[in-house]
Amino acid sequence: MAPVAPRTGDAIFANIERVNAELFTLTYGAIVRQLLTDLEEVDEVNKQLDQMGYNIGIRLIDEFLAKSNVSRCVDFRETADVIAKVGFKMFLGVTASVTNWDAEGTTCSIILEDNPLVDFVELPDNYQGLYYCNILSGVIRGALDMVSMKAEVTWLRDALRGDDVFELQVKLLKQVPEEYPYKDDE
Amino acid sequence: MIGVGKVKQYGNVLDKPLNKGKTEVSLSAFAFLFSELVQYNQTQVDNIGELERRLEDAGYAVGARVLELLCHRDKGNRRETRLLGILSFVHSTVWKVLFGKVADSLEKGTEHEDEYMISEKELLVNKFISIPKDMGTFNCGAFVAGIVRGVLDGAGFPAVVTAHFVPMEGQQRPRTTILIKFAEEVLLREARLG
């Protein structure tokens, strides 16, 4: 069977079921508020958001691979491109761009101009340490983990803190070769 | 292209123009997020009643904000003062904005004067959720019940809102009913208004 060509983010987004972004935004806001009430420490909330994102990411990657038909990425550049153009579009309906590649090609920045998570949100002064969108960094980390790439994702710029866009730095730490759960000769 | 360039920065989030509410995200993104909300709350509680209460509280916050947003954007800042008015607002406008369709039905309770029911064949939030047998009557629709309670409370119609499964003949999955029980003062006020 001939391999199916990978679909663009727009094509996939047009074909899947969608919900109103405001329900999504408000639900995320409710989650962050619950975490802040329960945990109180901003660092704890950041960690919990990252963990929730990780849990989402490890399941999201299956859906992503199933719906988008992308072939195996040759290198990390392609991976980052696919995350920004297809992944973000498919799930959040926004396109991100990839910039700031370093010399080895293991670190890049993903820039998000619109972010449906932060509509209507303003960070009060006493929560300035909060990475409101930290769930996104967990999602990317979890998804890459499931395709054998250990990565570190950090926020460089955050529009809620006064910058103009959201910038995530994705750094590939190492590629873990796939391990088979059984030995070949047994 | 006109208008291309950096997005204008607003000092205060309240100064930003409101978008039309037509942006969308994928259903699976919302489903993943909702499942994390439920999973997180499961770790924080000991029993089902508390889990439902926490989901409802989360929904309450959403409902209060949805009311503000819709009143300003869709209704031109007019507010409902009559019971049927607010119920039909919830049943049509709120449902249409949040879930993309009007609710399946709105009924008045037969046993009590102060009860109304909004029914839905399959709530969007329950679409990818299955309840294990040992959780009994737990319904993630408690989140939606919270949204309705938030809208009603904000509009000045305090009520107790709960979500229930109603098994239907011939259908594999039960229908979900949101039961709204209005407070005494709402009915008294409604009677006075005539």
Side-chain angles (χ1 to χ4, degrees):
Chain A
M1 194 170 87
V4 185
R7 301 158 70 188
T8 61
D10 291 311
I12 308 172
F13 191 60
N15 280 336
I16 55 175
E17 278 188 60
R18 298 181 291 279
V19 298
N20 190 328
E22 281 159 3
L23 176 62
F24 182 73
T25 307
L26 291 173
T27 306
Y28 185 66
I31 292 178
V32 176
R33 256 195 317 276
Q34 258 193 349
L35 287 177
L36 282 169
T37 321
D38 293 337
L39 300 171
E40 286 171 29
E41 281 292 309
V42 163
D43 289 322
E44 285 296 320
V45 176
N46 284 339
K47 262 198 288 194
Q48 183 68 33
L49 280 176
D50 188 70
Q51 182 59 39
M52 284 169 116
Y54 186 83
N55 294 340
I56 293 181
I58 57 182
R59 293 151 66 201
L60 186 125
I61 185 72
D62 279 332
E63 184 170 343
F64 174 73
L65 290 173
K67 293 232 166 86
S68 67
N69 290 325
V70 292
S71 48
R72 202 171 176 74
C73 289
V74 166
D75 59 5
F76 190 58
R77 272 181 190 269
E78 212 186 312
T79 311
D81 247 351
V82 158
I83 295 178
K85 300 267 168 354
V86 186
F88 271 100
K89 182 73 195 177
M90 199 170 133
F91 290 104
L92 295 181
V94 293
T95 325
S97 50
V98 184
T99 55
N100 281 353
W101 280 103
D102 70 341
E104 294 116 42
T106 54
T107 307
C108 66
S109 292
I110 297 187
I111 312 249
L112 265 177
E113 282 181 6
D114 311 303
N115 187 345
L117 291 174
V118 303
D119 277 337
F120 319 129
V121 175
E122 188 179 55
L123 273 190
D125 293 327
N126 49 339
Y127 289 123
Q128 284 297 316
L130 179 68
Y131 286 117
Y132 188 82
C133 309
N134 217 23
I135 210 169
L136 289 179
S137 65
V139 170
I140 295 181
R141 193 169 61 88
L144 286 176
D145 222 17
M146 286 292 121
V147 285
S148 327
M149 287 186 237
K150 288 243 179 299
E152 192 185 298
V153 186
T154 42
W155 288 99
L156 289 183
R157 282 190 280 170
D158 190 335
L160 290 178
R161 296 190 183 189
D163 301 312
D164 42 359
V165 290
F166 290 94
E167 186 173 343
L168 269 172
Q169 183 182 59
V170 184
K171 185 169 148 151
L172 178 67
L173 295 173
K174 64 176 178 174
Q175 290 243 12
V176 183
E178 291 227 6
E179 273 184 24
Y180 290 101
Y182 50 84
K183 286 212 188 325
D184 264 343
D185 46 10
E186 263 171 1
Chain B
M1 260 195 301
I2 308 172
V4 139
K6 280 198 356 203
V7 172
K8 181 166 164 212
Q9 288 312 300
Y10 291 91
N12 186 342
V13 70
L14 291 172
D15 291 329
K16 268 165 81 166
L18 262 187
N19 58 26
K20 294 257 182 319
K22 297 271 183 295
T23 43
E24 293 178 312
V25 297
S26 72
L27 173 62
S28 55
F30 176 72
F32 279 123
L33 196 66
F34 187 71
S35 94
E36 280 306 312
L37 173 66
V38 177
Q39 283 179 54
Y40 169 73
N41 279 309
Q42 271 183 309
T43 64
Q44 300 285 314
V45 303
D46 302 317
N47 59 58
I48 296 183
E50 253 208 74
L51 181 58
E52 276 198 355
R53 204 183 50 80
R54 286 183 68 113
L55 279 184
E56 240 204 70
D57 285 341
Y60 184 84
V62 175
R65 286 156 177 79
V66 160
L67 175 71
E68 293 291 327
L69 181 68
L70 290 182
C71 270
H72 178 69
R73 189 168 65 197
D74 292 339
K75 283 164 50 77
N77 287 324
R78 274 196 306 278
R79 66 183 186 91
E80 294 290 341
T81 47
R82 304 306 302 265
L83 195 67
L84 280 185
I86 193 70
L87 279 173
S88 93
F89 174 68
V90 168
H91 166 270
S92 344
T93 316
V94 175
W95 237 255
K96 186 108 211 292
V97 166
L98 291 182
F99 308 121
K101 60 188 263 306
V102 304
D104 283 347
S105 68
L106 170 63
E107 289 154 4
K108 190 166 152 56
T110 41
E111 289 153 42
H112 303 275
E113 271 304 305
D114 52 356
E115 280 180 5
Y116 288 81
M117 293 164 300
I118 294 185
S119 302
E120 185 80 28
K121 189 161 155 226
E122 180 77 48
L123 270 185
L124 191 78
V125 301
N126 280 344
K127 194 163 173 176
F128 298 114
I129 294 194
S130 60
I131 314 279
K133 283 269 187 320
D134 57 355
M135 291 189 93
T137 54
F138 173 62
N139 189 339
C140 286
F143 182 67
V144 178
I147 295 183
V148 175
R149 189 165 68 92
V151 173
L152 291 176
D153 235 9
F157 292 83
V160 172
V161 188
T162 45
H164 304 274
F165 280 126
V166 175
M168 298 291 287
E169 291 176 17
Q171 273 176 33
Q172 221 182 14
R173 305 240 311 172
R175 204 170 64 152
T176 308
T177 297
I178 309 279
L179 182 65
I180 305 171
K181 196 173 164 71
F182 285 103
E184 192 62 48
E185 64 220 48
V186 176
L187 297 162
L188 290 176
R189 188 178 66 207
E190 192 66 18
R192 258 210 318 277
L193 284 173

